Amino acid sequence: MFKFTSDYKIGIPEIDKEHEYLFQLLNNAICSLDKEQAAIQNVTEDLLNNLKDYALNHFAHEEAYMKKINDPELPRQQREHSAFTRKMNEFTIDDSLKVCDVEELLQYIVRWLFGHILASDMMIGKIKTDPFTFTSKYATNIAFMDEEHKTLFDIIRQANDLIHADYLHDKYDEIMKILSKLKNYTERHFKHEEEYMESIQYPKLEAQKRAHTAFIEKLVNINFHELNDIDDNQQQYLEELIDYLLSWLSDHILKSDCLIPVWEKEQQQNA
């Protein structure tokens, strides 16, 4: 069973309420699957109908909210919502359907929902100021963490500069290099962070790991082939990508990483 905890709340009540109900739909489906082995087709059809109907309404509400606040992440969210809907529509229900097929579908839905909330929905409504500068508001006062965060900001700035360098020779190759560098450095940084949190027995380590995994999957799934020729649409794609990377990093530091030293201080005071 999957519990909707505070780690999955994005701070927008109407969206959080709908996310919580999506968790409930999944849990109901899992319970039905355990009890109705002989009626697998009916159970699956009910699951997909309920899930698709509710997800479509939820996506519409989410996108309407983002449009109302002029959220620059709206196009990216629309693409992710469309991809999920296609996956649901492609699933076939017939006499060959097995329990393992439905379990695999449920696992996909769970992974997608967790990752989407942690890596995309957490960014809704975030406002960026002086985006490429690591300022004091991001400081955790954990030396290695702050230095690595500064480096991540710098790499994203380099990527942004490349994207807007109109006359750079071999622009595509350079962008590929810097995005690969960002992915590799981010993986090392998250590893260092998680090792540190484990060493101090930080209680939110698992929540941090889930957020890190969701972000890395975003980087891994960037379709580099789409960027081969930088026309107007691909330029927009790259600009949206940079906005997303910077917004996620900023928000994650402020809402997650900065809580680590607060917890450490509380432990010291209570010792």
Side-chain angles (χ1 to χ4, degrees), residues 193-209 259-260 263-264 267:
E193 268 193 357
E194 291 168 11
E195 287 173 346
Y196 179 79
M197 287 185 279
E198 187 172 5
S199 72
I200 63 172
Q201 298 182 323
Y202 186 58
K204 288 185 175 288
L205 171 59
E206 290 306 315
Q208 282 266 26
K209 284 183 176 180
L259 296 180
I260 298 172
W263 179 84
E264 282 188 282
Q267 299 308 300

Side-chain angles (χ1 to χ4, degrees), residues 245-256:
L245 295 174
L246 189 62
S247 296
W248 190 95
L249 177 62
S250 303
D251 187 65
H252 182 71
I253 292 172
L254 292 173
K255 292 179 64 176
S256 296

